Amino acid sequence: MTIILGLESSCDETAAALVTADGRILAHRLATQEEAHRPYGGVVPEIAARAHVEALSPLIEAALADADLTLADVDVIAATAGPGLIGGVMVGLVTGKALAHAAGKPLVAVNHLEGHALSPRLADRSLAFPYLLLLISGGHCQLLRVEGVGRYRRLATTIDDAVGEAFDKTAKLLGLGFPGGPAVEKAAALGDPKAVPLPRPLVGTNDPHFSFAGLKSAVMRAAQSGLHAKEDIAASFQQAVIDCLLDRTRRALIASEGLTALVVAGGVAANQAVRDALTEMARQFDLPFVAPPLWLCTDNAAMIAWAGAERFAAGLIDDLTTPARPRWPLDPDAEKARGAGVKA
Ligand code: KG4
Ligand code: ZN
């Protein structure tokens, strides 16, 4: 059985995992840099890159030890080659290239977004193409029609902030700490989602995309007004985000034919209120709802190993000159969204 070593280092998690071509996870190790970035309330690229250098090799060794394997037993090396913070991406990709070269194994350069996009098939091996993927993370907010390995049609993206970013900024504004998503969700559970009137940008319009900048400004005004409890702002914010996600997803579901499932991935998919709302939406459209387990929703190396497995099975390997790419759209043919392209 083909064994794939996956490496991830594109943001603030360093990770290594071993996965088989039939989707068994033999080992997965992860080191988060949360503590290193906490004083800054966000990810500092230079700190991240240094931390990846220190963490990656020991994680690879630990993953191999967990699976009782050596590098010689690994058949394919898969490493994230972008998009993301370039310093971090280079650490993982160069490490992957060095291992591939030294051990004489093929390299698969994985798009981090493809890792998220295919991760539901690792969680549920019966999930067939094409499915509609709502990818909601710290750097992205996209609706993708996943038609096959390497075949993605982007139906919508954000024209300003990513949805996880909106959670993180809201947490910062409300003094809830970093990382913001889980903190906002916790506070929201204690608040009234109808207490604070907040906008739902682009909802009900023909524009397919997402926008969260106006919502963020409204949260800032609500926080500064001193009129509302933090919990009420958090709950109202989370409800506004859910309304936006549902409206845009509904639009894409109506426009897309032949789908096998509605799938969610990315760090914000860890939010239970978001998952509940999407579960209900899938039911309305008579589609199965698939969400990977929480640890597979946030950044990890198992999804990179799995994307490597899927690409390798499709005969897609890369040579050692493959560059690290800070920006790397999954669907290069997608029309550029107004205001997009600020973030990878
Ligand atoms: O996919 P991810 O781990 O990293 C990338 O951005 O690629 O996503 C991280 C994002 C952060 O913005 C974090 O605040 C958000 O996911 N997040 C959440 C929750 N858990 C993580 N947002 C809302 N509710 C959560 N429970
Ligand atoms: Zn991610």
Side-chain angles (χ1 to χ4, degrees), residues 65-336:
D66 290 347
D68 211 6
L69 297 172
T70 68
L71 189 57
D73 302 313
V74 172
D75 300 292
V76 180
I77 314 278
T80 299
L85 300 172
I86 189 67
V89 173
M90 283 174 72
V91 172
L93 183 59
V94 168
T95 303
K97 285 179 181 179
L99 292 175
H101 183 67
K105 315 283 181 180
L107 173 79
V108 181
V110 174
N111 183 315
H112 178 87
L113 300 177
E114 183 168 42
H116 281 300
L118 297 176
S119 66
R121 281 166 52 86
L122 174 57
D124 177 354
R125 296 290 299 113
S126 68
L127 176 63
F129 302 117
Y131 50 87
L132 183 70
L133 172 74
L134 175 64
L135 176 57
I136 40 180
S137 74
H140 312 279
C141 187
Q142 306 190 346
L143 278 160
L144 291 160
R145 185 181 158 95
V146 180
E147 296 177 338
V149 177
R151 290 172 46 220
Y152 310 95
R153 275 214 304 129
R154 199 192 70 193
L155 306 177
T157 187
T158 178
I159 61 168
D160 40 57
D161 296 344
V163 62
E165 211 180 340
F167 269 97
D168 294 334
K169 286 178 182 168
T170 294
K172 211 170 173 178
L173 279 168
L174 298 179
L176 296 173
F178 172 85
V184 171
E185 180 172 17
K186 225 169 126 198
L190 305 171
D192 173 5
K194 296 201 181 81
V196 187
L198 293 171
R200 270 86 172 139
L202 297 180
V203 164
T205 68
N206 248 341
D207 184 324
H209 297 301
F210 297 90
S211 169
F212 297 104
L215 177 56
K216 178 184 66 191
S217 314
V219 166
M220 189 179 336
R221 285 192 297 275
Q224 286 167 350
S225 74
L227 295 172
H228 307 284
K230 274 182 196 176
E231 291 76 13
D232 286 342
I233 300 178
S236 302
F237 162 79
Q238 185 170 281
Q239 189 57 51
V241 168
I242 289 173
D243 290 348
C244 294
L245 294 177
L246 288 182
D247 182 76
R248 314 288 64 205
T249 304
R250 182 183 301 112
R251 198 183 178 287
L253 284 170
I254 291 168
S256 231
E257 275 171 17
L259 295 172
T260 61
L262 171 62
V263 174
V264 67
V268 181
N271 185 295
Q272 194 58 47
V274 169
R275 286 166 98 97
D276 290 347
L278 291 169
T279 304
E280 174 55 22
M281 161 132 302
R283 202 190 55 75
Q284 284 167 16
F285 280 82
D286 223 357
L287 285 173
F289 175 66
V290 180
L294 297 189
W295 75 269
L296 208 50
C297 276
T298 49
D299 287 352
N300 66 86
M303 70 178 190
I304 303 303
W306 176 247
E310 295 241 48
R311 290 189 74 83
F312 185 72
L316 301 167
I317 59 170
D318 296 275
D319 67 57
L320 298 183
T321 61
T322 296
R325 301 166 68 172
R327 290 189 187 178
W328 186 3
L330 262 190
D331 177 1
D333 299 330
E335 217 178 294
K336 217 169 176 259

